[in-house]
């Protein structure tokens, strides 16, 4: 490793570039990408957000912008068979054969999203590579910035799909055959937008994986802590529940004779809230669809989703089991039939001490207040942790808002996060090993 280490002068120049021109480039790119998929002013009342569901036209446009920026930095662009995009900065002579350090996140969004979820991590990562190009230094091992496909899992489940496939947690063919909520096949959409690459997923095993992200919760903002040192991600369980009742006339059918799928879904939602209060597990019914969905027809069918999360895998399992055990009672009382489909079961993940400690030390060297914390949201880092030492850096989210247009982090916080990212990258680039 010795022969291609960076010297302190080069590190200082990289830091100075990052804090000045780098930050300006990062802010400009966040703004530009944030315009992609932006709702028209007339689309809906309230604040305007952007929608880039995985592999839709807006996601394609965002991918094109990202690859244009990568090309402008003379990075080698790779696209793998699940559509993950990699921008590769080569190592200095002597470092070519070393395992690359990977920085990443995602640029797909939920519906009507804020500008930062995922985007901040990808573009701050790109800015780190930009810093090397601007200063004219090559790293001691290859440095890769990655945008993973379908992190949000809104259009196609499971979420974190690109990184899951990359880490070998889901066969490629199964992922490509996934049907979306709009009936589309994921593999066909990848082809359509021109991002069905030829590189095999998992083509390199990174030396380590690092992801910078907005917290998306209230803890750092509320307690005025500048940096979250992320120690892991809580467990996630997603289910789709289908209730089959019988349609009938709203004006003529006595209450006692109804098989109301809509009412059964509403009762399930209330049961789940009480279960959340009893167990402490976070439970969300985030989507409900009725058929036929008409004002004067008793719903014949209801399809709803359940999102359960907790840092303790046993508590998620117990909550899920309690819900499943209650459903036969609901069937009997409401005269409906209920089936459940499993969409996601991701166990809690602990990040690598060798990455966590370096993030903490970087924040400390920079003089930033910091706190160790578990992520409430899912992230690509939790999948990459299956194949290499992984870790994350959080910055505050104003009022804890995310997955909505009001998502906001001030420039000083964005800058601090980018500085901690660069500092941790510089440390990891020269490390001989990282404890996992
Ligand atoms: C991803 O954003 C998730 O945690 O749902
Ligand atoms: Mn995200
Ligand atoms: Mn998200």
């Amino acid at each position: 490793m010795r022969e291609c280490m960076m010297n302190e002068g080069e590190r200082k120049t990289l830091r100075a570039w990052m804090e000045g021109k780098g930050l300006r480039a990062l802010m400009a790119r966040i703004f530009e990408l944030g315009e992609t998929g932006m709702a028209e002013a007339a689309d809906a009342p309230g604040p305007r957000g952007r929608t880039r569901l995985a592999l839709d036209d807006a996601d394609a446009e965002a991918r094109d912008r990202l690859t244009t920026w990568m090309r402008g930095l003379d990075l080698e662009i790779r696209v793998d068979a699940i559509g993950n995009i990699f921008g590769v900065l080569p190592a200095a002579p002597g470092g070519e054969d070393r395992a690359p350090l990977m920085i990443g996140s995602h640029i797909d969004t939920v519906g009507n999203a804020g500008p930062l979820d995922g985007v901040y991590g990808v573009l701050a990562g790109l800015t780190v590579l930009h810093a090397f190009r601007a200063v004219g230094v090559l790293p001691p091992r290859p440095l890769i910035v990655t945008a993973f496909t379908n992190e949000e899992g809104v259009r196609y489940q499971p979420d974190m799909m690109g990184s899951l496939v990359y880490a070998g947690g889901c066969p490629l063919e199964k992922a490509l055959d996934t049907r979306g909520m709009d009936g589309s096949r994921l593999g066909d959409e990848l082809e359509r937008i021109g991002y069905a690459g030829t590189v095999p997923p998992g083509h390199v095993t990174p030396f380590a994986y690092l992801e910078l992200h907005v917290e998306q919760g209230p803890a750092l903002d509320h307690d005025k802590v500048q940096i979250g040192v992320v120690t892991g991600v809580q467990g996630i369980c997603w289910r789709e529940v289908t209730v089959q009742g019988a349609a009938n006339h709203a004006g003529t059918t006595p209450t006692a004779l109804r098989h109301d799928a809509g009412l059964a879904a509403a009762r399930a939602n209330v049961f789940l809230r009480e279960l959340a209060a009893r167990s402490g597990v976070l439970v969300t019914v985030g989507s409900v669809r009725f058929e036929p969905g008409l004002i004067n027809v008793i719903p014949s069918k209801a399809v709803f989703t359940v999102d359960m999360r907790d840092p303790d895998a046993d508590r998620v399992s117990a909550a899920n089991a309690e819900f499943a055990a209650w459903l036969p009672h609901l069937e009997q009382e409401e005269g409906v039939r209920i089936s459940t489909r499993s969409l996601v079961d991701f166990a809690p993940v602990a990040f690598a001490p060798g990455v966590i400690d370096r993030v903490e030390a970087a924040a400390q060297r920079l003089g930033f207040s910091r706190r160790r914390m578990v992520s409430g949201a899912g992230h690509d880092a939790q999948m990459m942790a299956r194949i290499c030492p992984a870790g994350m850096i959080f910055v505050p989210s104003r009022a804890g808002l995310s997955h909505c247009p009001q998502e906001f982090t001030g420039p000083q916080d964005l800058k601090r996060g980018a500085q901690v990212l660069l500092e941790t990258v510089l440390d990891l680039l020269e490390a001989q090993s990282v404890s996992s």
Side-chain angles (χ1 to χ4, degrees):
M1 186 60 102
R2 288 271 156 252
E3 72 281 8
C4 58
M5 296 267 267
M6 291 169 293
N7 61 46
E8 190 46 35
E10 288 168 337
R11 280 193 288 267
K12 265 177 92 167
T13 318
L14 285 165
R15 288 184 191 113
W17 187 90
M18 190 72 176
E19 288 165 37
K21 288 193 174 143
L23 183 72
R24 286 194 289 282
L26 172 61
M27 299 297 283
R29 286 178 183 141
I30 288 173
F31 181 81
E32 190 176 330
L33 211 62
E35 290 297 298
T36 314
M38 182 64 94
E40 297 297 329
D43 278 0
R48 285 195 302 150
R50 66 283 298 147
T51 299
R52 296 192 299 270
L53 304 190
L55 315 181
D56 69 5
D57 290 349
D59 186 28
E61 191 186 324
R63 286 164 172 265
D64 291 348
R65 278 180 204 249
L66 177 64
T67 50
T68 301
W69 289 326
M70 286 177 167
R71 215 165 285 118
L73 295 175
D74 198 21
L75 305 179
E76 180 197 338
I77 298 173
R78 299 177 193 157
V79 180
D80 73 10
I82 191 67
N84 296 321
I85 300 171
F86 308 88
V88 184
L89 181 70
E96 302 92 337
D97 295 334
R98 294 188 180 127
L101 177 63
M102 192 181 281
I103 321 170
S105 199
H106 61 98
I107 58 171
D108 68 310
T109 69
V110 296
N112 208 31
L116 297 170
D117 178 359
V119 166
Y120 175 46
V122 172
L123 296 184
L126 186 74
T127 312
V128 169
L129 274 65
H130 192 165
F132 279 87
R133 281 301 192 213
V135 171
V137 178
L138 288 176
R141 57 176 74 249
L143 186 52
I144 303 181
V145 59
T146 303
F148 287 106
T149 292
N150 185 32
E151 192 273 348
E152 294 292 3
V154 168
R155 188 178 181 199
Y156 305 98
Q157 290 88 39
D159 51 352
M160 283 81 74
M161 187 189 274
S163 46
L164 180 68
V165 172
Y166 192 88
C170 171
L172 172 65
E173 282 311 319
K174 184 171 176 218
L176 294 176
D177 275 337
T178 307
R179 289 283 163 189
M181 63 180 188
D182 50 7
S184 62
R185 181 180 168 275
L186 186 143
D188 296 343
E189 285 292 275
L190 261 184
E191 295 276 354
R192 183 185 70 81
I193 66 167
Y195 281 89
T198 51
V199 172
H203 74 291
V204 291
T205 303
F207 176 68
Y209 174 83
L210 192 58
E211 183 164 348
L212 171 64
H213 209 284
V214 289
E215 182 203 338
Q216 305 183 271
L220 296 176
D221 186 47
H222 182 267
D223 296 345
K224 303 281 169 273
V225 177
Q226 292 166 331
I227 294 291
V229 178
V230 188
T231 55
V233 180
Q234 66 179 346
I236 307 176
C237 163
W238 283 2
R239 296 288 180 267
E240 181 188 74
V241 182
T242 302
V243 184
Q244 192 67 57
N248 208 339
H249 197 292
T252 61
T253 316
T255 301
L257 297 184
R258 293 180 181 217
H259 304 275
D260 187 338
L263 181 77
R267 285 191 57 189
N269 200 340
V270 172
F271 178 88
L272 287 165
R273 168 53 72 92
E274 288 164 359
L275 174 60
R278 265 198 314 280
S279 65
V281 172
L282 292 171
V283 187
T284 306
V285 175
S287 104
V288 184
R289 184 165 48 80
F290 290 162
E291 288 180 19
L294 301 172
I295 189 166
N296 54 359
V297 184
I298 295 163
S300 59
K301 187 171 173 181
V303 182
F304 62 94
T305 55
V306 182
D307 173 317
M308 291 187 181
R309 305 196 194 201
D310 196 272
D312 180 341
D314 291 342
R315 293 205 323 172
V316 176
S317 302
N320 193 32
E322 191 177 335
F323 178 54
W326 174 74
L327 289 176
H329 300 286
L330 183 63
E331 281 183 311
Q332 218 195 349
E333 286 172 19
E334 297 302 333
V336 295
R337 278 181 292 112
I338 300 178
S339 58
T340 302
R341 190 160 72 95
S342 168
L343 301 176
V344 162
D345 276 296
F346 293 138
V349 170
F351 288 142
V355 180
I356 298 169
D357 292 347
R358 283 186 165 85
V359 169
E360 191 164 52
Q364 186 171 12
R365 277 200 299 282
L366 290 161
F368 301 154
S369 58
R370 61 214 162 266
R371 169 186 298 171
R372 289 190 174 218
M373 61 192 299
V374 173
S375 172
H379 296 290
D380 293 305
Q382 78 192 81
M383 300 307 164
M384 293 305 286
R386 296 174 180 218
I387 56 168
C388 66
M392 294 188 75
I393 305 158
F394 276 173
V395 294
S397 293
R398 187 173 67 189
L401 293 170
S402 188
H403 282 185
C404 58
Q406 295 90 339
E407 176 185 80
F408 178 82
T409 298
Q412 287 309 316
D413 282 322
L414 294 177
K415 180 179 174 185
R416 278 188 277 269
Q419 287 177 272
V420 175
L421 178 68
L422 175 65
E423 203 60 26
T424 312
V425 163
L426 293 177
D427 191 349
L428 283 167
L429 281 173
E430 294 189 336
Q432 304 286 336
S433 63
V434 183
S435 62
S436 52

